[in-house]
Amino acid sequence: MKVKLVAILYAITICTGFQRQPNKNTPAPDPIVMEIGNLKVSLGEFKFVYEKNNLGDKNAYTAKSVQDYVDLFVKFKLKVQEALDLKLDAAADYKQELEVYRKQLARPYLTENKVSNDLVKQAYERLKEEINASHLMVAVGQNASPFDTLVAYNRIMDYRKRILAGEDFEKLAQAESDDKSARENKGNLGYFTALQMVYSFETAAYQTPVGKISTIVRTRYGYHLIKINNKRKSNGSIKVAHLMLSLRNAKNQTDSAEVLKKIQAIGDRLKKGEDWHSLCSQFSEDGTSRAKGGELEWFTAGNMIPAFEDAAFKLAKNGQVSEPVLTQYGWHLIRLIERKGIEPFEKLEPILTQKVLKDDRSELNRMVLINRLKRENNFKEYAESLMLFSKYVNPTLLQGKWSFGKNNVELRPVLFEINGEEKYSVHDFFEFVEGAQKEQPEGSSPEVYLSNLYRIYVDQKLIEYEDKHLAEKHKEFKYLYDEYREGILLFKIMEQNVWAKSLVDEAGLKTFFAQNQEKYQWKSRAKAVIYSLENESILAKIQEESRKELYLNEAMPVPATVFSDQTVELKDAEKHNLDQLAAFLLNDTLSVVELRGYASANEKVEFAIRRIEMIKQYLMNKGVPARRIAENNRGQIPSNAFPAVQNGRVDYLIFSKAKKTLETQFNKTNPLALKITEGTFEQGANDILNKAKWQTGEQKIMDQGRTYWIVIEEILPQGTKKLEEVKGAAISDYQTYLEAEWIKSLKEKYKVVLNEQEIKKLIKG
């Protein structure tokens, strides 16, 4: 056992002799440009934030620009220092938010971006081609012993020799492959493209010419031989609907023939022009898609059963329906909805990046990363400690029940170290193994499994070390992290000292408003309605309609409430409609509703009255004032009325006092026929009113090809604004005042020291 484990570990140790050379060119220390309280700001930090916020500014690094930013930055740091003194950074929600951000920020530094980018581009190029291949597999687990692995390898090698000597690939796959599906499909996998197979299998398929047999391919499933049957340009993606009739027994030919007759009959009805959705709803036995007209999600080659996929991609025109197609699930009719080619790389890149990160090809990225981290961080491994593994490994590891003597002094020796700072013992690794072990498949080797766990442990510790030292190694990371960390603190302290205070301090706001009333003055104002007409021919009709007090709101239809004879009860669905009506009326205070009640020809008129009263009360209980509910008893519905209105009912008409409601009425055929603007306007604030006479009354003007009918109802004189009229602006100004006063107090509380000499060096020109 010891010899086997040493051999396994040798493959790991030969890659670990990395030594980091000391940096002989130590960079000069970064000068401090300002100190605010206990916070020190380096030149590098200031330049990073300054350039980030002045990117593309032609005035960047002028004396004024630099000084303005110094002032701004000092204020920012004063607030941060106050937040730290108040221990806002100790709050649990702050720590949680910061940790989430740090993980996102660290991710690009803990990957090999060039490798990832190359893999994404490679995947995109491969998506342009689809491959039809067959394979023969000899199963062998990832944790199999060297002996079992060699046996499997020799077996696949023998099969390859036999195939190259002329033996039929399909027959051999059917007879010998450990992929059980080969008994039926002779190893044929149908068409596939990138990101549908494990990476090593995919790569071998793309590198092997049509008609040829690949070299031996190793995946986590075992060893493979791949025969390339065909390669074609990508068919892109396709969206189809299907109508399926299930088979009770896929192997029963009589059953299949009966189902085929049924689906052929449905196909004949489709050819005669019957509606696809109707037939699908009636006959399809795919319960998940039937209600959607049989519609399936978009798919590409390799995502569907080959027979179904082949038939789908042969459809040329949208709406075309296939002949019946047989799969193991039943007989199908397939209808093409839409197809599209491969989208541009720029659009697919984010999606492909995520897939590559989750795909097993990301292991290439990880290998390059780990090797770099070993070089950069002086990774050192102790072979004599590795030898201890063979003494403690046993088959219980494969059952997930392995344990070790935790007080054993023999396990204290260092196993590996990183930069001479962090050292990990055999004991540390064994503790990891106890927590990480899982039951393994039959045929696995405890020695191989332990060595694989060791590789995972080493990788984990190297990445943890790198993550912990990112701020030291990458200034940009440090600056971005500090910027976000301090940004959260700034938000919290501003919320506490300025924003929240301005909203709850009514007395302070009123005092501030009273002391600054000169800032809140109205110019002369006009209460006006402006009608913009595309065609003057409708002006007379608009003038007639506008003089009404209420306007029918056709944009707010409400379903009628229909009653069974002799009843006045509301059903749940009707209550839901009334709840929506009540919500609308409460939100739009200019609207009213008319309740038009009808009794059926078989009822007394009093039923119409009772229903109106009941619905009115329901709306009032929801908060709608009685004055905004009009009652209109229309009596009995004539016996010769259209059948749809035979039942007793209540109809709803919505009226509004808002003149803008007229737009719906006049824009039915032309959405640009009429536009109405209604409100109170300060002199000079509205372009159209600027061209009209500033006086009450009606006027008509032409501007840019449109007719404007202007009705000025009242001219309001200049005067002081009320707080309620400008509360938003007043609160904003009050916040600015509170912040300025707060900054004054912070400057008195914390010492601010500027290194003017270094700051002046930043100025250019």
Side-chain angles (χ1 to χ4, degrees):
M1 183 183 290
K2 180 174 182 180
V3 173
K4 283 195 289 184
L5 188 56
V6 170
I8 294 163
L9 291 171
Y10 177 72
I12 299 174
T13 58
I14 57 173
C15 299
T16 58
F18 299 114
Q19 299 290 323
R20 187 179 64 171
Q21 297 299 317
N23 187 353
K24 296 178 181 178
N25 300 314
T26 305
D30 199 5
I32 301 300
V33 293
M34 61 181 71
E35 295 182 39
I36 299 96
N38 298 324
L39 300 176
K40 295 183 179 182
V41 180
S42 69
L43 177 63
E45 178 188 356
F46 182 81
K47 283 184 67 177
F48 177 83
V49 180
Y50 175 82
E51 289 174 358
K52 182 181 174 185
N53 288 284
N54 289 275
L55 188 66
D57 187 346
K58 63 181 181 180
N59 295 316
Y61 286 114
T62 61
K64 183 177 186 309
S65 175
V66 171
Q67 188 55 56
D68 287 349
Y69 205 78
V70 166
D71 294 342
L72 189 67
F73 206 67
V74 166
K75 292 174 183 177
F76 168 64
K77 289 289 185 177
L78 283 167
K79 297 169 187 174
V80 171
Q81 180 64 72
E82 177 76 346
L84 291 170
D85 281 359
L86 293 174
K87 301 191 183 307
L88 297 185
D89 57 332
D93 62 334
Y94 164 81
K95 291 180 178 179
Q96 183 178 5
E97 182 179 352
L98 189 59
E99 180 60 24
V100 169
Y101 173 76
R102 193 190 182 285
K103 286 180 179 177
Q104 294 173 343
L105 183 62
R107 193 173 295 136
Y109 295 90
L110 299 175
T111 187
E112 293 298 314
N113 291 323
K114 184 179 185 310
V115 177
S116 294
N117 293 339
D118 289 346
L119 288 170
V120 169
K121 290 175 183 176
Q122 181 191 66
Y124 182 76
E125 289 304 313
R126 288 180 175 178
L127 284 172
K128 296 177 181 178
E129 188 174 45
E130 295 169 354
I131 296 176
N132 184 291
S134 300
H135 84 131
L136 188 159
M137 183 182 81
V138 174
V140 60
Q142 288 179 294
N143 294 317
S145 69
F147 176 80
D148 290 340
T149 302
L150 181 59
V151 169
Y153 182 82
N154 288 335
R155 185 179 155 203
I156 198 79
M157 178 62 80
D158 178 62
Y159 293 149
R160 190 169 194 275
K161 289 176 181 177
R162 289 164 61 180
I163 293 166
L164 294 177
E167 193 165 342
D168 184 87
F169 186 98
E170 283 72 19
K171 288 182 180 178
L172 190 60
Q174 187 176 37
E176 302 292 344
S177 180
D178 290 338
D179 178 356
K180 294 180 181 179
S181 67
R183 304 294 173 268
E184 299 290 334
N185 61 26
K186 299 180 182 179
N188 191 289
L189 300 168
Y191 278 94
F192 60 87
T193 188
L195 297 163
Q196 292 178 346
M197 300 290 180
V198 293
Y199 182 59
S200 55
F201 190 100
E202 174 194 305
T203 297
Y206 275 92
Q207 290 176 348
T208 304
V210 174
K212 300 296 183 181
I213 307 299
S214 71
T215 56
I216 296 171
V217 182
R218 181 71 158 101
T219 72
R220 60 177 175 267
Y221 305 107
Y223 289 112
H224 308 255
L225 293 175
I226 308 171
K227 179 186 175 185
I228 305 303
N229 302 318
N230 189 30
K231 292 186 179 182
R232 70 186 183 193
K233 184 180 177 182
S234 172
N235 274 311
S237 53
I238 191 170
K239 189 173 187 63
V240 302
H242 80 134
L243 187 159
M244 183 185 80
L245 298 184
S246 303
L247 294 175
R248 292 186 296 275
N249 184 345
K251 295 182 180 180
N252 186 318
Q253 292 185 356
T254 302
D255 178 39
S256 180
E258 289 177 359
V259 176
L260 174 59
K261 286 181 182 178
K262 291 179 182 178
I263 206 158
Q264 285 174 331
I266 296 170
D268 290 341
R269 291 172 66 174
L270 286 168
K271 290 173 184 176
K272 292 176 182 177
E274 288 199 42
D275 181 64
W276 167 274
H277 289 81
S278 175
L279 291 175
C280 188
S281 176
Q282 292 177 61
F283 297 110
S284 182
E285 294 173 353
D286 177 8
T288 58
S289 69
R290 182 175 56 229
K292 301 182 294 182
E295 190 172 311
L296 303 175
E297 297 297 324
W298 285 91
F299 64 89
T300 58
N303 291 134
M304 281 287 183
I305 300 162
F308 187 98
E309 182 180 289
D310 290 345
F313 277 108
K314 285 177 183 175
L315 297 172
K317 297 180 180 179
N318 292 353
Q320 183 180 352
V321 178
S322 72
E323 292 300 318
V325 178
L326 178 63
T327 72
Q328 61 262 47
Y329 299 106
W331 283 97
H332 309 254
L333 293 174
I334 306 170
R335 181 174 184 265
L336 177 61
I337 297 174
E338 186 181 355
R339 63 192 308 162
K340 57 187 178 184
I342 296 176
E343 295 180 296
F345 177 74
E346 293 72 22
K347 188 170 182 179
L348 281 182
E349 185 179 13
I351 300 169
L352 291 178
T353 299
Q354 289 302 313
K355 288 187 175 181
V356 164
L357 289 174
K358 296 175 182 177
D359 187 71
D360 66 333
R361 69 194 70 205
S362 63
E363 185 62 24
L364 290 176
N365 186 304
R366 190 177 184 88
M367 286 170 59
V368 175
L369 171 67
I370 293 301
N371 286 337
R372 175 173 67 81
L373 296 184
K374 285 179 176 179
R375 288 194 305 273
E376 291 180 357
N377 296 310
N378 199 18
F379 178 81
K380 186 177 180 182
E381 198 170 45
Y382 294 91
E384 59 272 24
S385 298
L386 287 169
M387 301 305 172
L388 288 170
F389 289 7
S390 60
K391 184 176 179 179
Y392 290 91
V393 68
N394 61 63
T396 60
L397 183 63
L398 302 178
Q399 301 165 12
K401 298 177 180 179
W402 180 82
S403 62
F404 70 102
K406 297 191 177 182
N407 297 320
N408 190 340
V409 295
E410 186 181 24
L411 304 179
R412 291 178 183 173
V414 174
L415 186 55
F416 63 87
E417 62 182 52
I418 304 173
N419 258 346
E421 301 172 8
E422 298 196 3
K423 301 182 179 183
Y424 298 91
S425 67
V426 179
H427 181 279
D428 295 331
F429 170 57
F430 281 3
E431 280 197 327
F432 166 79
V433 172
E434 266 199 350
Q437 63 182 325
K438 293 180 181 178
E439 188 175 353
Q440 296 300 300
E442 185 178 348
S444 297
S445 160
E447 293 86 2
V448 175
Y449 183 37
L450 186 66
S451 70
N452 286 334
L453 287 173
Y454 177 64
R455 179 182 59 81
I456 293 170
Y457 183 66
V458 169
D459 291 358
Q460 179 180 305
K461 294 305 174 185
L462 280 164
I463 291 173
E464 286 176 2
Y465 181 87
E466 181 73 3
D467 186 38
K468 190 161 58 175
H469 292 82
L470 283 175
E472 301 165 24
K473 295 180 69 173
H474 304 281
K475 289 296 184 184
E476 184 184 57
F477 175 88
K478 178 183 185 305
Y479 296 149
L480 284 170
Y481 177 70
D482 287 346
E483 182 182 22
Y484 192 84
R485 175 176 59 83
E486 294 179 345
I488 303 174
L489 291 174
L490 175 68
F491 180 87
K492 287 183 173 294
I493 196 76
M494 286 289 288
E495 177 73 22
Q496 179 176 303
N497 285 45
V498 177
W499 302 327
K501 184 176 180 180
S502 68
L503 295 175
V504 299
D505 184 12
E506 286 287 341
L509 176 62
K510 288 178 180 177
T511 301
F512 172 81
F513 182 76
Q515 293 173 347
N516 295 274
Q517 281 199 340
E518 69 281 357
K519 293 175 60 178
Y520 307 104
Q521 297 294 315
W522 287 118
K523 297 177 183 177
S524 176
R525 290 164 292 151
K527 290 180 67 176
V529 185
I530 304 169
Y531 300 83
S532 171
L533 290 69
E534 187 172 67
N535 193 322
E536 190 176 348
S537 63
I538 62 172
L539 177 57
K541 182 64 176 175
I542 289 171
Q543 289 173 330
E544 178 187 345
E545 289 293 323
S546 69
R547 292 184 172 91
K548 296 178 180 178
E549 292 186 7
L550 293 171
Y551 314 101
L552 180 64
N553 186 350
E554 298 180 43
M556 180 57 193
V558 181
T561 302
V562 181
F563 296 86
S564 301
D565 276 353
Q566 319 294 323
T567 65
V568 292
E569 289 78 21
L570 289 172
K571 298 174 183 176
D572 289 343
E574 288 147 353
K575 289 180 181 178
H576 174 72
N577 292 337
L578 289 175
D579 290 343
Q580 289 186 317
L581 173 60
F584 171 79
L585 292 170
L586 291 172
N587 182 62
D588 186 349
T589 56
L590 295 178
S591 290
V592 298
V593 61
E594 178 185 330
L595 308 181
R596 291 188 174 184
Y598 299 86
S600 74
N602 303 320
E603 297 176 320
K604 294 182 179 179
V605 173
E606 67 182 69
F607 276 98
I609 299 171
R610 288 170 59 191
R611 288 164 184 160
I612 292 171
E613 291 175 347
M614 180 267 295
I615 290 174
K616 179 178 181 179
Q617 189 60 52
Y618 187 94
L619 293 173
M620 289 171 60
N621 291 343
K622 296 292 180 179
V624 180
R627 67 178 183 278
R628 293 176 56 204
I629 306 172
E631 302 174 54
N632 187 345
N633 175 18
R634 305 298 289 261
Q636 284 185 323
I637 300 173
S639 58
N640 62 350
F642 187 73
V645 294
Q646 285 290 335
N647 286 74
R649 61 198 285 125
V650 173
D651 290 336
Y652 304 89
L653 294 180
I654 305 295
F655 295 90
S656 176
K657 296 179 181 178
K659 289 182 169 59
K660 196 169 180 65
T661 310
L662 289 172
E663 286 184 0
T664 304
Q665 178 182 339
F666 284 89
N667 291 348
K668 287 179 181 177
T669 57
N670 179 4
L672 301 178
L674 175 64
K675 181 181 178 183
I676 301 174
T677 307
E678 184 176 11
T680 301
F681 306 89
E682 276 194 291
Q683 193 167 14
N686 182 280
D687 290 340
I688 297 302
L689 286 178
N690 290 345
K691 297 172 183 178
K693 294 178 182 178
W694 197 253
Q695 61 187 37
T696 56
E698 301 178 9
Q699 313 173 44
K700 185 180 75 172
I701 65 172
M702 299 293 297
D703 186 68
Q704 297 183 10
R706 290 184 72 89
T707 300
Y708 290 87
W709 179 47
I710 302 166
V711 180
I712 298 180
E713 299 170 351
E714 184 180 1
I715 299 292
L716 302 173
Q718 297 178 359
T720 301
K721 298 177 181 178
K722 297 177 182 178
L723 178 58
E724 293 73 23
E725 294 174 317
V726 289
K727 196 163 189 179
I731 288 174
S732 179
D733 292 341
Y734 186 44
Q735 288 175 347
T736 302
Y737 166 77
L738 289 174
E739 185 177 2
E741 293 298 306
W742 180 40
I743 291 294
K744 286 181 187 177
S745 68
L746 292 179
K747 285 182 176 179
E748 293 174 0
K749 183 175 181 179
Y750 300 111
K751 185 178 180 181
V752 177
V753 179
L754 301 179
N755 186 339
E756 299 287 359
Q757 185 177 357
E758 288 294 335
I759 292 173
K760 286 179 181 178
K761 291 179 183 179
L762 293 170
I763 299 170
K764 299 175 183 178

